[in-house]
Amino acid sequence: MFSPEGPTLRELAVQALSSVERGYDLLAPKFDHTPYRTPDRLLDAAARALAPMGPFAAGLDLCCGTGAGVDVLARVCRERVTGVDFSAGMLEVARARTLPPAPAVSWVRADARALPFGPVFDLVVSFGAFGHFLPRELPGLFGRVRSVLRPGGCFAFPVVAPPRPGSAGYWTLLGFDAAMRVRNALWRPPFVMYYRTFRLGDVGRALSRAGFRADLHALPEFGRRPDGSPRVRLVVARRLGQAALSRPPAG
């Protein structure tokens, strides 16, 4: 599961008993050698899907971690790219990355629920971070994302189809979430990381309430499930203008 350069079992245990922020500070030097990093295959597929929608001027990688999503933005943004994360350790690793000379890249330490920006971005992306937010936090989080987008800007992120009920993957994720709930009931500070709380239907409704119109784009590189549905989709949510938000429903 982990490469020899990855964290030891003891290091993972210490991380799991820390807060989310402290846990990622500890994990940061070895994070890119774990399965938790978004695979390059998924990053490349997202970049290919976003390219025809651009080019974009300025992009933000929300909960950027060590900066893998910044590589996607650098391929579709012309002027500048920003990575934001609340873990100082992850940002330290991100700053050491080798990046192309353009667009300009900056790194900001901040909580995604309190972004310190105005409406200056044309594209916001996020990869693998939403398990750190409880479902009740999503409307507020998406509202903050909307507030940093220019009118017509896009918020994009991949969503992987859930494993089939009864499959090994289903029981693995169910067991992980159950273990995290027990851990958080018995230990403080909590470590919020759940795999089964970010459901596509709930996400769509939260995006709509926050002022987005969401479209789904299948990523063909990952194929389809036996029922014909895509294994991986890219959600592309367009920021609606104030006039659209205040317009009464038809009929």
Side-chain angles (χ1 to χ4, degrees):
M1 182 177 180
F2 294 93
S3 71
E5 296 84 7
T8 65
L9 184 60
R10 180 183 181 278
E11 288 171 328
L12 286 174
V14 172
Q15 181 214 8
L17 295 176
S18 305
S19 67
V20 179
E21 180 179 352
R22 176 59 177 158
Y24 276 102
D25 285 347
L26 295 170
L27 184 61
K30 299 182 178 182
F31 180 79
D32 287 345
H33 300 288
T34 73
Y36 307 130
R37 182 192 183 275
T38 303
D40 288 337
R41 183 185 178 206
L42 180 53
L43 297 169
D44 291 342
R48 283 191 290 269
L50 288 169
M53 306 176 200
F56 304 93
L60 176 69
D61 184 6
L62 186 75
C63 306
C64 67
T66 56
V70 165
D71 295 338
V72 174
L73 291 174
R75 292 161 62 175
V76 299
C77 295
R78 295 173 300 182
E79 296 178 6
R80 60 190 176 88
V81 171
T82 302
V84 64
D85 202 279
F86 75 161
S87 166
M90 298 291 269
L91 289 174
E92 182 179 355
V93 175
R95 289 188 180 98
R97 294 172 60 85
T98 300
L99 294 167
V105 177
S106 59
W107 307 97
V108 176
R109 186 183 181 194
D111 192 317
R113 291 160 290 203
L115 293 172
F117 312 108
V120 296
F121 297 103
D122 305 286
L123 173 64
V124 175
V125 299
S126 193
F127 295 92
F130 295 120
H132 293 303
F133 300 94
L134 298 173
R136 65 175 181 271
E137 296 180 287
L138 292 182
L141 174 67
F142 293 163
R144 292 305 303 166
V145 172
R146 183 184 184 277
S147 74
V148 305
L149 280 168
R150 294 185 177 113
C154 291
F155 178 30
F157 50 89
V159 174
V160 179
R164 180 177 53 82
S167 66
Y170 174 88
W171 290 114
T172 298
L173 297 187
L174 183 66
F176 181 91
D177 282 9
M180 290 302 298
R181 292 184 186 281
V182 171
R183 178 256 185 245
N184 289 333
L186 299 176
W187 193 268
R188 292 291 183 271
F191 191 97
V192 177
M193 181 64 221
Y194 299 111
Y195 283 103
R196 300 179 67 252
T197 58
F198 195 71
R199 298 183 175 90
L200 189 56
D202 296 336
V203 169
R205 287 185 286 274
L207 286 168
S208 179
R209 290 198 297 271
F212 288 98
R213 184 189 69 247
D215 296 309
L216 301 177
H217 300 261
L219 297 183
E221 296 88 342
F222 298 92
R224 292 183 175 271
R225 304 204 298 175
D227 63 2
S229 62
R231 294 187 185 277
V232 184
R233 294 179 171 98
L234 186 71
V235 177
V236 179
R238 184 79 63 173
R239 179 193 188 277
L240 297 175
Q242 196 59 40
L245 287 176
S246 59
R247 187 181 302 134

Short mmCIF file of all heavy atoms in Angstrom, two decimals, residues 38-99:
data_model
loop_
_atom_site.label_atom_id
_atom_site.label_comp_id
_atom_site.label_asym_id
_atom_site.label_seq_id
_atom_site.Cartn_x
_atom_site.Cartn_y
_atom_site.Cartn_z
N THR A 38 -3.54 12.40 -4.85
CA THR A 38 -4.35 12.17 -6.04
C THR A 38 -3.47 11.62 -7.16
O THR A 38 -2.42 12.20 -7.48
CB THR A 38 -5.01 13.48 -6.51
OG1 THR A 38 -5.79 14.01 -5.44
CG2 THR A 38 -5.90 13.23 -7.71
N PRO A 39 -3.85 10.51 -7.77
CA PRO A 39 -3.00 9.92 -8.82
C PRO A 39 -2.83 10.84 -10.02
O PRO A 39 -3.74 11.59 -10.40
CB PRO A 39 -3.79 8.65 -9.22
CG PRO A 39 -4.71 8.38 -8.07
CD PRO A 39 -5.05 9.71 -7.49
N ASP A 40 -1.66 10.79 -10.64
CA ASP A 40 -1.39 11.61 -11.82
C ASP A 40 -2.40 11.32 -12.93
O ASP A 40 -2.76 12.22 -13.70
CB ASP A 40 0.03 11.35 -12.33
CG ASP A 40 1.09 11.95 -11.42
OD1 ASP A 40 0.77 12.90 -10.67
OD2 ASP A 40 2.23 11.46 -11.44
N ARG A 41 -2.84 10.08 -13.03
CA ARG A 41 -3.80 9.72 -14.07
C ARG A 41 -5.09 10.54 -13.94
O ARG A 41 -5.65 11.01 -14.94
CB ARG A 41 -4.11 8.22 -13.99
CG ARG A 41 -5.05 7.71 -15.06
CD ARG A 41 -5.38 6.25 -14.82
NE ARG A 41 -6.32 5.73 -15.79
CZ ARG A 41 -7.13 4.71 -15.57
NH1 ARG A 41 -7.09 4.08 -14.40
NH2 ARG A 41 -7.97 4.30 -16.50
N LEU A 42 -5.55 10.73 -12.72
CA LEU A 42 -6.76 11.51 -12.49
C LEU A 42 -6.50 13.00 -12.74
O LEU A 42 -7.33 13.70 -13.32
CB LEU A 42 -7.27 11.28 -11.07
CG LEU A 42 -8.54 12.02 -10.65
CD1 LEU A 42 -9.67 11.78 -11.65
CD2 LEU A 42 -8.97 11.61 -9.26
N LEU A 43 -5.35 13.49 -12.30
CA LEU A 43 -5.01 14.90 -12.54
C LEU A 43 -4.93 15.18 -14.03
O LEU A 43 -5.44 16.21 -14.51
CB LEU A 43 -3.67 15.22 -11.86
CG LEU A 43 -3.65 15.09 -10.33
CD1 LEU A 43 -2.22 15.17 -9.83
CD2 LEU A 43 -4.50 16.17 -9.68
N ASP A 44 -4.31 14.30 -14.78
CA ASP A 44 -4.18 14.49 -16.23
C ASP A 44 -5.55 14.48 -16.90
O ASP A 44 -5.81 15.28 -17.82
CB ASP A 44 -3.30 13.40 -16.84
CG ASP A 44 -1.84 13.52 -16.43
OD1 ASP A 44 -1.44 14.61 -15.97
OD2 ASP A 44 -1.10 12.52 -16.57
N ALA A 45 -6.43 13.57 -16.47
CA ALA A 45 -7.76 13.50 -17.06
C ALA A 45 -8.55 14.78 -16.78
O ALA A 45 -9.26 15.30 -17.65
CB ALA A 45 -8.51 12.28 -16.51
N ALA A 46 -8.43 15.31 -15.56
CA ALA A 46 -9.12 16.56 -15.22
C ALA A 46 -8.60 17.72 -16.05
O ALA A 46 -9.37 18.55 -16.54
CB ALA A 46 -8.95 16.85 -13.73
N ALA A 47 -7.28 17.78 -16.25
CA ALA A 47 -6.70 18.85 -17.05
C ALA A 47 -7.20 18.78 -18.49
O ALA A 47 -7.51 19.81 -19.11
CB ALA A 47 -5.18 18.78 -17.00
N ARG A 48 -7.28 17.57 -19.04
CA ARG A 48 -7.77 17.42 -20.42
C ARG A 48 -9.23 17.85 -20.54
O ARG A 48 -9.63 18.45 -21.54
CB ARG A 48 -7.60 15.97 -20.89
CG ARG A 48 -6.16 15.61 -21.26
CD ARG A 48 -6.09 14.26 -21.95
NE ARG A 48 -6.37 13.17 -21.03
CZ ARG A 48 -5.43 12.52 -20.34
NH1 ARG A 48 -4.16 12.87 -20.45
NH2 ARG A 48 -5.75 11.53 -19.54
N ALA A 49 -10.04 17.55 -19.53
CA ALA A 49 -11.45 17.93 -19.57
C ALA A 49 -11.63 19.44 -19.43
O ALA A 49 -12.54 20.03 -20.03
CB ALA A 49 -12.21 17.20 -18.47
N LEU A 50 -10.76 20.08 -18.64
CA LEU A 50 -10.89 21.52 -18.41
C LEU A 50 -10.34 22.36 -19.54
O LEU A 50 -10.78 23.49 -19.76
CB LEU A 50 -10.18 21.90 -17.11
CG LEU A 50 -10.85 21.45 -15.81
CD1 LEU A 50 -9.90 21.65 -14.63
CD2 LEU A 50 -12.15 22.21 -15.58
N ALA A 51 -9.38 21.83 -20.28
CA ALA A 51 -8.69 22.62 -21.31
C ALA A 51 -9.65 23.26 -22.32
O ALA A 51 -9.51 24.45 -22.62
CB ALA A 51 -7.64 21.76 -22.00
N PRO A 52 -10.65 22.53 -22.86
CA PRO A 52 -11.54 23.17 -23.84
C PRO A 52 -12.44 24.25 -23.24
O PRO A 52 -13.02 25.06 -23.98
CB PRO A 52 -12.39 21.99 -24.36
CG PRO A 52 -11.66 20.76 -23.97
CD PRO A 52 -10.94 21.09 -22.72
N MET A 53 -12.58 24.28 -21.92
CA MET A 53 -13.42 25.29 -21.26
C MET A 53 -12.66 26.59 -21.04
O MET A 53 -13.27 27.60 -20.70
CB MET A 53 -13.92 24.75 -19.92
CG MET A 53 -14.63 23.43 -20.01
SD MET A 53 -15.10 22.81 -18.36
CE MET A 53 -15.34 21.07 -18.72
N GLY A 54 -11.34 26.57 -21.18
CA GLY A 54 -10.51 27.74 -20.94
C GLY A 54 -10.13 28.42 -22.25
O GLY A 54 -10.83 28.27 -23.25
N PRO A 55 -9.02 29.15 -22.25
CA PRO A 55 -8.11 29.27 -21.10
C PRO A 55 -8.67 30.18 -20.02
O PRO A 55 -9.50 31.05 -20.28
CB PRO A 55 -6.85 29.86 -21.72
CG PRO A 55 -7.36 30.68 -22.87
CD PRO A 55 -8.52 29.91 -23.42
N PHE A 56 -8.23 29.94 -18.81
CA PHE A 56 -8.61 30.76 -17.66
C PHE A 56 -7.46 31.69 -17.32
O PHE A 56 -6.30 31.40 -17.60
CB PHE A 56 -8.93 29.85 -16.47
CG PHE A 56 -9.98 28.82 -16.75
CD1 PHE A 56 -9.63 27.54 -17.19
CD2 PHE A 56 -11.32 29.11 -16.59
CE1 PHE A 56 -10.60 26.59 -17.45
CE2 PHE A 56 -12.30 28.16 -16.85
CZ PHE A 56 -11.93 26.90 -17.28
N ALA A 57 -7.78 32.81 -16.68
CA ALA A 57 -6.72 33.74 -16.30
C ALA A 57 -6.09 33.33 -14.97
O ALA A 57 -4.90 33.06 -14.89
CB ALA A 57 -7.28 35.17 -16.21
N ALA A 58 -6.90 33.26 -13.91
CA ALA A 58 -6.37 32.98 -12.57
C ALA A 58 -7.08 31.77 -11.99
O ALA A 58 -8.31 31.63 -12.10
CB ALA A 58 -6.56 34.19 -11.65
N GLY A 59 -6.31 30.90 -11.34
CA GLY A 59 -6.87 29.68 -10.76
C GLY A 59 -6.47 29.49 -9.32
O GLY A 59 -5.41 29.94 -8.88
N LEU A 60 -7.34 28.81 -8.56
CA LEU A 60 -7.11 28.50 -7.14
C LEU A 60 -7.25 27.01 -6.92
O LEU A 60 -8.24 26.41 -7.32
CB LEU A 60 -8.12 29.25 -6.28
CG LEU A 60 -8.07 28.97 -4.76
CD1 LEU A 60 -6.80 29.55 -4.15
CD2 LEU A 60 -9.31 29.53 -4.06
N ASP A 61 -6.24 26.42 -6.27
CA ASP A 61 -6.30 25.02 -5.84
C ASP A 61 -6.71 25.02 -4.37
O ASP A 61 -5.94 25.40 -3.50
CB ASP A 61 -4.95 24.35 -6.03
CG ASP A 61 -4.97 22.86 -5.68
OD1 ASP A 61 -6.06 22.33 -5.40
OD2 ASP A 61 -3.89 22.24 -5.68
N LEU A 62 -7.95 24.60 -4.10
CA LEU A 62 -8.53 24.62 -2.76
C LEU A 62 -8.09 23.39 -1.99
O LEU A 62 -8.23 22.27 -2.48
CB LEU A 62 -10.06 24.65 -2.87
CG LEU A 62 -10.86 24.81 -1.59
CD1 LEU A 62 -10.80 26.24 -1.09
CD2 LEU A 62 -12.31 24.39 -1.82
N CYS A 63 -7.53 23.60 -0.79
CA CYS A 63 -6.97 22.49 0.00
C CYS A 63 -5.88 21.81 -0.83
O CYS A 63 -5.93 20.61 -1.09
CB CYS A 63 -8.04 21.51 0.43
SG CYS A 63 -9.43 22.26 1.31
N CYS A 64 -4.88 22.58 -1.19
CA CYS A 64 -3.92 22.16 -2.21
C CYS A 64 -2.96 21.08 -1.74
O CYS A 64 -2.32 20.41 -2.55
CB CYS A 64 -3.13 23.36 -2.70
SG CYS A 64 -2.04 24.12 -1.47
N GLY A 65 -2.80 20.90 -0.41
CA GLY A 65 -1.84 19.91 0.06
C GLY A 65 -0.44 20.21 -0.44
O GLY A 65 0.04 21.33 -0.34
N THR A 66 0.20 19.20 -1.02
CA THR A 66 1.56 19.40 -1.53
C THR A 66 1.57 19.96 -2.95
O THR A 66 2.64 20.07 -3.55
CB THR A 66 2.34 18.07 -1.50
OG1 THR A 66 1.62 17.08 -2.24
CG2 THR A 66 2.53 17.59 -0.07
N GLY A 67 0.41 20.31 -3.49
CA GLY A 67 0.37 21.06 -4.74
C GLY A 67 0.11 20.28 -6.00
O GLY A 67 0.32 20.82 -7.09
N ALA A 68 -0.39 19.07 -5.91
CA ALA A 68 -0.62 18.29 -7.12
C ALA A 68 -1.64 18.97 -8.04
O ALA A 68 -1.47 18.98 -9.27
CB ALA A 68 -1.10 16.88 -6.77
N GLY A 69 -2.69 19.57 -7.47
CA GLY A 69 -3.69 20.24 -8.28
C GLY A 69 -3.18 21.50 -8.95
O GLY A 69 -3.74 21.93 -9.97
N VAL A 70 -2.14 22.10 -8.39
CA VAL A 70 -1.55 23.29 -9.02
C VAL A 70 -0.99 22.94 -10.39
O VAL A 70 -1.00 23.77 -11.31
CB VAL A 70 -0.48 23.89 -8.09
CG1 VAL A 70 0.40 24.89 -8.82
CG2 VAL A 70 -1.15 24.57 -6.89
N ASP A 71 -0.50 21.71 -10.55
CA ASP A 71 -0.02 21.28 -11.86
C ASP A 71 -1.14 21.31 -12.90
O ASP A 71 -0.92 21.66 -14.06
CB ASP A 71 0.56 19.86 -11.77
CG ASP A 71 1.80 19.79 -10.89
OD1 ASP A 71 2.43 20.84 -10.69
OD2 ASP A 71 2.11 18.70 -10.40
N VAL A 72 -2.36 20.94 -12.48
CA VAL A 72 -3.51 21.02 -13.38
C VAL A 72 -3.78 22.46 -13.77
O VAL A 72 -3.95 22.81 -14.94
CB VAL A 72 -4.76 20.39 -12.72
CG1 VAL A 72 -5.99 20.61 -13.58
CG2 VAL A 72 -4.54 18.90 -12.47
N LEU A 73 -3.82 23.35 -12.78
CA LEU A 73 -4.10 24.75 -13.05
C LEU A 73 -3.04 25.38 -13.94
O LEU A 73 -3.34 26.23 -14.79
CB LEU A 73 -4.20 25.52 -11.74
CG LEU A 73 -5.42 25.20 -10.86
CD1 LEU A 73 -5.32 25.93 -9.52
CD2 LEU A 73 -6.72 25.56 -11.57
N ALA A 74 -1.79 24.99 -13.75
CA ALA A 74 -0.72 25.56 -14.55
C ALA A 74 -0.88 25.23 -16.03
O ALA A 74 -0.35 25.94 -16.89
CB ALA A 74 0.64 25.05 -14.05
N ARG A 75 -1.63 24.19 -16.33
CA ARG A 75 -1.84 23.78 -17.73
C ARG A 75 -3.02 24.51 -18.37
O ARG A 75 -3.13 24.52 -19.60
CB ARG A 75 -2.05 22.27 -17.80
CG ARG A 75 -0.79 21.50 -17.44
CD ARG A 75 -1.05 20.05 -17.06
NE ARG A 75 -1.65 19.25 -18.12
CZ ARG A 75 -1.86 17.95 -18.03
NH1 ARG A 75 -1.53 17.30 -16.92
NH2 ARG A 75 -2.41 17.29 -19.02
N VAL A 76 -3.91 25.09 -17.56
CA VAL A 76 -5.12 25.70 -18.14
C VAL A 76 -5.27 27.18 -17.79
O VAL A 76 -6.21 27.82 -18.27
CB VAL A 76 -6.39 24.93 -17.71
CG1 VAL A 76 -6.33 23.50 -18.20
CG2 VAL A 76 -6.59 24.97 -16.20
N CYS A 77 -4.38 27.73 -16.96
CA CYS A 77 -4.45 29.14 -16.57
C CYS A 77 -3.29 29.92 -17.18
O CYS A 77 -2.16 29.44 -17.19
CB CYS A 77 -4.44 29.28 -15.04
SG CYS A 77 -5.87 28.57 -14.22
N ARG A 78 -3.56 31.13 -17.62
CA ARG A 78 -2.54 31.91 -18.34
C ARG A 78 -1.72 32.80 -17.42
O ARG A 78 -0.53 33.01 -17.66
CB ARG A 78 -3.22 32.80 -19.39
CG ARG A 78 -3.92 32.04 -20.51
CD ARG A 78 -4.70 33.00 -21.38
NE ARG A 78 -5.73 33.71 -20.58
CZ ARG A 78 -6.58 34.59 -21.09
NH1 ARG A 78 -6.52 34.89 -22.38
NH2 ARG A 78 -7.48 35.17 -20.32
N GLU A 79 -2.34 33.38 -16.35
CA GLU A 79 -1.69 34.46 -15.63
C GLU A 79 -1.12 34.04 -14.28
O GLU A 79 0.06 34.23 -14.02
CB GLU A 79 -2.66 35.62 -15.45
CG GLU A 79 -3.09 36.25 -16.77
CD GLU A 79 -4.10 37.36 -16.58
OE1 GLU A 79 -4.37 37.72 -15.40
OE2 GLU A 79 -4.62 37.88 -17.59
N ARG A 80 -1.95 33.49 -13.40
CA ARG A 80 -1.46 33.17 -12.06
C ARG A 80 -2.28 32.04 -11.45
O ARG A 80 -3.45 31.84 -11.79
CB ARG A 80 -1.48 34.39 -11.15
CG ARG A 80 -2.85 35.00 -10.94
CD ARG A 80 -2.76 36.34 -10.22
NE ARG A 80 -4.05 36.97 -10.10
CZ ARG A 80 -4.90 36.75 -9.09
NH1 ARG A 80 -4.55 35.92 -8.13
NH2 ARG A 80 -6.07 37.36 -9.04
N VAL A 81 -1.62 31.34 -10.55
CA VAL A 81 -2.21 30.20 -9.86
C VAL A 81 -1.89 30.33 -8.38
O VAL A 81 -0.77 30.69 -8.01
CB VAL A 81 -1.65 28.87 -10.41
CG1 VAL A 81 -2.09 27.69 -9.56
CG2 VAL A 81 -2.08 28.67 -11.87
N THR A 82 -2.86 30.00 -7.54
CA THR A 82 -2.68 30.07 -6.09
C THR A 82 -3.08 28.74 -5.47
O THR A 82 -4.12 28.17 -5.82
CB THR A 82 -3.54 31.20 -5.47
OG1 THR A 82 -3.18 32.44 -6.07
CG2 THR A 82 -3.32 31.28 -3.96
N GLY A 83 -2.25 28.25 -4.55
CA GLY A 83 -2.61 27.07 -3.75
C GLY A 83 -2.90 27.51 -2.34
O GLY A 83 -2.13 28.29 -1.76
N VAL A 84 -3.99 27.04 -1.76
CA VAL A 84 -4.35 27.40 -0.39
C VAL A 84 -4.57 26.14 0.43
O VAL A 84 -5.21 25.18 -0.03
CB VAL A 84 -5.61 28.31 -0.36
CG1 VAL A 84 -6.83 27.59 -0.90
CG2 VAL A 84 -5.87 28.83 1.04
N ASP A 85 -4.02 26.11 1.63
CA ASP A 85 -4.17 24.98 2.53
C ASP A 85 -3.96 25.48 3.96
O ASP A 85 -3.31 26.51 4.16
CB ASP A 85 -3.16 23.88 2.21
CG ASP A 85 -3.58 22.52 2.73
OD1 ASP A 85 -3.38 22.25 3.93
OD2 ASP A 85 -4.13 21.72 1.94
N PHE A 86 -4.52 24.76 4.94
CA PHE A 86 -4.32 25.22 6.33
C PHE A 86 -3.17 24.51 7.03
O PHE A 86 -2.85 24.81 8.17
CB PHE A 86 -5.61 25.12 7.14
CG PHE A 86 -6.01 23.73 7.57
CD1 PHE A 86 -6.92 23.58 8.61
CD2 PHE A 86 -5.52 22.59 6.98
CE1 PHE A 86 -7.31 22.33 9.05
CE2 PHE A 86 -5.90 21.34 7.40
CZ PHE A 86 -6.80 21.20 8.43
N SER A 87 -2.50 23.58 6.34
CA SER A 87 -1.36 22.87 6.92
C SER A 87 -0.06 23.53 6.49
O SER A 87 0.30 23.53 5.30
CB SER A 87 -1.36 21.40 6.48
OG SER A 87 -0.11 20.79 6.75
N ALA A 88 0.66 24.08 7.46
CA ALA A 88 1.94 24.70 7.15
C ALA A 88 2.93 23.67 6.61
O ALA A 88 3.74 23.98 5.73
CB ALA A 88 2.50 25.37 8.40
N GLY A 89 2.87 22.44 7.12
CA GLY A 89 3.77 21.41 6.65
C GLY A 89 3.54 21.05 5.19
O GLY A 89 4.50 20.87 4.42
N MET A 90 2.29 20.94 4.80
CA MET A 90 1.98 20.62 3.40
C MET A 90 2.43 21.76 2.49
O MET A 90 2.99 21.52 1.41
CB MET A 90 0.48 20.35 3.24
CG MET A 90 -0.03 19.17 4.04
SD MET A 90 0.56 17.57 3.46
CE MET A 90 -0.74 17.15 2.31
N LEU A 91 2.22 23.00 2.91
CA LEU A 91 2.62 24.14 2.10
C LEU A 91 4.14 24.22 1.97
O LEU A 91 4.67 24.64 0.94
CB LEU A 91 2.06 25.43 2.69
CG LEU A 91 0.55 25.61 2.54
CD1 LEU A 91 0.10 26.86 3.30
CD2 LEU A 91 0.15 25.72 1.07
N GLU A 92 4.85 23.83 3.02
CA GLU A 92 6.31 23.83 2.95
C GLU A 92 6.80 22.89 1.86
O GLU A 92 7.71 23.22 1.09
CB GLU A 92 6.90 23.44 4.30
CG GLU A 92 8.41 23.45 4.34
CD GLU A 92 8.98 23.08 5.70
OE1 GLU A 92 8.18 22.90 6.65
OE2 GLU A 92 10.21 22.97 5.81
N VAL A 93 6.18 21.71 1.78
CA VAL A 93 6.54 20.77 0.72
C VAL A 93 6.13 21.32 -0.64
O VAL A 93 6.87 21.22 -1.63
CB VAL A 93 5.88 19.40 0.97
CG1 VAL A 93 6.13 18.44 -0.18
CG2 VAL A 93 6.38 18.80 2.28
N ALA A 94 4.95 21.94 -0.71
CA ALA A 94 4.47 22.50 -1.97
C ALA A 94 5.42 23.57 -2.51
O ALA A 94 5.69 23.62 -3.71
CB ALA A 94 3.07 23.08 -1.78
N ARG A 95 5.92 24.41 -1.62
CA ARG A 95 6.81 25.50 -2.05
C ARG A 95 8.12 24.97 -2.63
O ARG A 95 8.79 25.67 -3.40
CB ARG A 95 7.10 26.44 -0.88
CG ARG A 95 5.91 27.29 -0.46
CD ARG A 95 6.31 28.33 0.58
NE ARG A 95 5.15 29.13 0.97
CZ ARG A 95 4.43 28.92 2.07
NH1 ARG A 95 4.78 27.92 2.90
NH2 ARG A 95 3.39 29.67 2.35
N ALA A 96 8.49 23.77 -2.25
CA ALA A 96 9.74 23.18 -2.75
C ALA A 96 9.57 22.51 -4.12
O ALA A 96 10.55 22.03 -4.69
CB ALA A 96 10.28 22.17 -1.74
N ARG A 97 8.35 22.47 -4.64
CA ARG A 97 8.10 21.83 -5.92
C ARG A 97 8.78 22.58 -7.06
O ARG A 97 8.92 23.81 -7.02
CB ARG A 97 6.59 21.76 -6.21
CG ARG A 97 5.82 20.88 -5.26
CD ARG A 97 4.33 21.02 -5.49
NE ARG A 97 3.95 20.64 -6.84
CZ ARG A 97 3.71 19.40 -7.24
NH1 ARG A 97 3.78 18.42 -6.36
NH2 ARG A 97 3.36 19.13 -8.47
N THR A 98 9.15 21.86 -8.10
CA THR A 98 9.66 22.47 -9.32
C THR A 98 8.49 22.72 -10.25
O THR A 98 7.80 21.79 -10.65
CB THR A 98 10.69 21.55 -10.01
OG1 THR A 98 11.78 21.32 -9.10
CG2 THR A 98 11.21 22.18 -11.28
N LEU A 99 8.26 23.99 -10.57
CA LEU A 99 7.11 24.37 -11.39
C LEU A 99 7.59 25.13 -12.63
O LEU A 99 8.67 25.72 -12.63
CB LEU A 99 6.16 25.25 -10.58
CG LEU A 99 5.47 24.57 -9.39
CD1 LEU A 99 4.81 25.59 -8.49
CD2 LEU A 99 4.44 23.56 -9.88
#
